[in-house]
Amino acid sequence: MEIYTKDFFNIFRANFDFEIVETEMGTAVKMPAREAFIYSSITGAGYFENPIYPFTPKGLMKLFYNAFNYKFVSGIFDNGVLKNTPYILSQAKRYLFEGDKYIVPIEFESEEKLNDLLKAKFDHIKNRENYIIQRIETSKHGNGMEPFMEYLAGEYFRHFGFIVENQIPLAHAIGSPDFAGYGLSELMTKISNYGYLPSTGFHMIELALIRNFKQGSKNENSHVTHDFIVGEAKTGNLVMTKQLEKYLNTGLFDQGFEIHPAKAKPSKDYFGLISLDADFKIKITLPVTKYTAENPLSREEYTAWLGNYIKFYLISNLTNDELKQFYLESKGEEINKESDLVSFVLELETEAILEKIKSL
C-alpha cells in the first residue's frame, strides 16, 4: 500500500481526534505544539521556516550509539555538553513550543519540483513556521513513509502501558529497530507521580520535554505491562523477516511486530502485525507463538541500562549551567571530562533528577 495525501487524512480521521482544517498551504492536520514536535521528531516532517531545508528535530533527540554503553552520539549531547535539548531549542526557535501547528502533506515527484513549490509559497504565507511539511515522494511508491508508520505504532502502544521509541540504539551488528515499546511500569509510575507524564505511556523523547510543558497530566494506568516489544516498518515492500528475527534473537523483547499498512497477516506465527484495516483504522494482530532466542542477551542488564537511559533524557531538561551547578553541589567539584558527567548521572536516583526539574 502506498500512502498518499488522501490516505494520510483518512488515517488521521480514523485514528485520532486532531482536527483537519483548510489553510493557506492547503488541507492540514491541526496539532498542538507538543504533539507536533513529537510528530516531526519521528517522521522528519519539517517546520516551514526555510523553503530549502525545513527544520526538523529528527535525529537531534538521540543519546547513545548502542545499548549497554554510554557513548554519546551527537544529538542531545555533543562532546559531553548539552546541545540539542528541547529546552535549548526553545530559546533559539520559540515557535516550536508555542501555538498550534499544521501538518501539510505534499506529494512531489522530485526534489527540484518540491523546492520550486515551496519557494513559490514561502513569501506569501503568514506564520509559516507553524506549518510542518510532510513529504510524500510519489516516485518512491510508498517507501518514504516508513517513519509515518513508526509514528502510528508509537501512538497506538503508548496508550497501553509502554514507553515507546523509534530508531532505537541496540548494536551495530544487530541494527536499529524502527520501533520499540518498554513496559517499565514502576519507572512510569514514579515519573507520573510528579504530574509530568501519564502512567498510561508516553514517547521516550517526552522525558526531555518536561520543562517545556510542565503542565503535564497524571493518569492511572489500567494497562500495566512488563513486556518489551519491537517492530520493523515497511511500506513499499514486505521484506521484514530477517531483520525482525535478529531483534528477537537478542532475547530482549517479548514480541516482535511487522509494521506495514497493507500486509494481510504476519510472515511467521511468532510475529505480530501492525497494519491498517479497510477503514484505515490501526489493526493489531498478536503473535500466535513465542520466539525462542538462540543466543539471548541479558534482559536484566538491558532493563537496568534503560533505567539509566531514561535518566539521561531527564537530565537534559537542565541547561549546561544548571547541570554544572547540580554536579558541583553534589560532588563538591567541577565537571572535568565527559566520563565525569556519565558517572554522575549513573549514580543519581531518578527521583533526584525529578526533584531537580521540579525546582527549575
Side-chain angles (χ1 to χ4, degrees):
M1 175 183 175
E2 299 166 8
I3 299 174
Y4 294 120
T5 300
K6 183 179 178 181
D7 310 304
F8 179 85
F9 288 121
N10 283 334
I11 291 166
F12 269 97
R13 288 189 185 97
N15 296 284
F16 304 102
D17 294 327
F18 298 123
E19 189 179 356
I20 295 175
V21 298
E22 294 302 321
T23 73
E24 294 177 277
M25 288 287 290
T27 309
V29 177
K30 181 180 177 182
M31 281 189 191
R34 180 196 189 110
E35 285 76 7
F37 185 85
I38 294 167
Y39 180 86
S40 177
S41 295
I42 295 171
T43 65
Y47 292 82
F48 194 38
E49 63 164 28
N50 183 305
I52 307 300
Y53 300 109
F55 172 77
T56 175
K58 182 178 174 68
L60 298 181
M61 300 292 107
K62 300 299 181 185
L63 280 176
F64 302 123
Y65 281 101
N66 297 316
F68 300 105
N69 70 47
Y70 303 97
K71 183 179 180 182
F72 290 122
V73 64
S74 183
I76 281 183
F77 286 89
D78 190 30
N79 293 319
V81 175
L82 290 165
K83 183 178 181 182
N84 293 306
T85 73
Y87 186 71
I88 291 174
L89 286 174
S90 73
Q91 307 306 298
K93 300 177 184 291
R94 300 190 68 86
Y95 69 84
L96 289 173
F97 304 104
E98 296 176 348
D100 291 321
K101 309 301 173 191
Y102 301 88
I103 317 297
V104 182
I106 297 180
E107 294 180 15
F108 65 99
E109 295 177 359
S110 68
E111 292 290 340
E112 183 180 1
K113 289 183 178 180
L114 176 63
N115 288 340
D116 289 343
L117 173 65
L118 294 180
K119 284 178 185 175
K121 287 180 175 289
F122 189 72
D123 291 329
H124 306 287
I125 302 295
K126 297 177 182 177
N127 303 315
R128 50 192 175 235
E129 66 276 2
N130 288 331
Y131 291 96
I132 296 176
I133 309 302
Q134 173 61 63
R135 299 157 50 97
I136 300 179
E137 192 167 354
T138 55
S139 61
K140 288 187 175 180
H141 304 294
N143 280 322
M145 293 297 282
E146 283 90 353
F148 179 66
M149 291 303 299
E150 295 168 23
Y151 170 77
L152 295 183
E155 282 296 297
Y156 181 88
F157 278 105
R158 75 176 179 88
H159 294 290
F160 292 95
F162 291 97
I163 301 175
V164 297
E165 186 177 25
N166 71 303
Q167 299 298 318
I168 70 169
L170 200 51
H172 179 71
I174 299 168
S176 296
D178 291 330
F179 164 78
Y182 310 107
L184 298 166
S185 57
E186 291 83 3
L187 258 176
M188 292 165 67
T189 299
K190 196 177 290 185
I191 295 166
S192 176
N193 284 340
Y194 279 79
Y196 295 142
L197 294 168
S199 62
T200 48
F202 48 83
H203 291 271
M204 185 71 77
I205 61 171
E206 289 187 84
L207 293 163
L209 285 167
I210 289 173
R211 188 169 184 173
N212 297 75
F213 300 99
K214 268 197 172 180
Q215 65 282 12
S217 58
K218 180 181 177 182
N219 298 345
E220 293 302 322
N221 190 2
S222 58
H223 296 281
V224 175
T225 179
H226 298 286
D227 283 355
F228 290 0
I229 59 176
V230 67
E232 181 73 5
K234 297 290 182 186
T235 50
N237 65 67
L238 301 172
V239 182
M240 291 168 272
T241 301
K242 186 177 179 181
Q243 198 58 46
L244 196 51
E245 285 180 340
K246 266 190 178 182
Y247 304 146
L248 287 173
N249 203 44
T250 63
L252 301 177
F253 304 98
D254 299 283
Q255 296 178 328
F257 288 86
E258 295 175 293
I259 305 171
H260 191 285
K263 193 170 173 61
K265 63 179 183 178
S267 301
K268 303 284 185 179
D269 285 346
Y270 46 77
F271 287 169
L273 176 65
I274 303 169
S275 58
L276 300 172
D277 67 16
D279 297 317
F280 298 94
K281 193 80 174 172
I282 297 171
K283 178 183 176 182
I284 305 297
T285 304
L286 296 175
V288 175
T289 61
K290 186 173 176 64
Y291 184 88
T292 302
E294 296 176 2
N295 301 295
L297 302 175
S298 170
R299 172 70 170 260
E300 184 179 354
E301 289 180 17
Y302 187 53
T303 302
W305 179 84
L306 283 169
N308 289 325
Y309 185 54
I310 283 169
K311 289 193 289 187
F312 280 92
Y313 270 111
L314 288 172
I315 207 77
S316 72
N317 286 279
L318 279 61
T319 65
N320 281 298
D321 287 342
E322 290 163 349
L323 181 53
K324 289 175 184 176
Q325 185 62 30
F326 190 22
Y327 185 94
L328 181 62
E329 291 170 356
S330 302
K331 308 286 283 187
E333 58 186 22
E334 295 184 349
I335 299 174
N336 289 315
K337 51 188 182 299
E338 186 176 300
S339 59
D340 291 342
L341 169 62
V342 171
S343 297
F344 175 57
V345 177
L346 294 181
E347 291 167 5
L348 286 170
E349 295 293 332
T350 304
E351 291 91 342
I353 306 175
L354 291 167
E355 284 291 338
K356 187 65 179 178
I357 296 170
K358 186 178 178 181
S359 71
L360 298 175

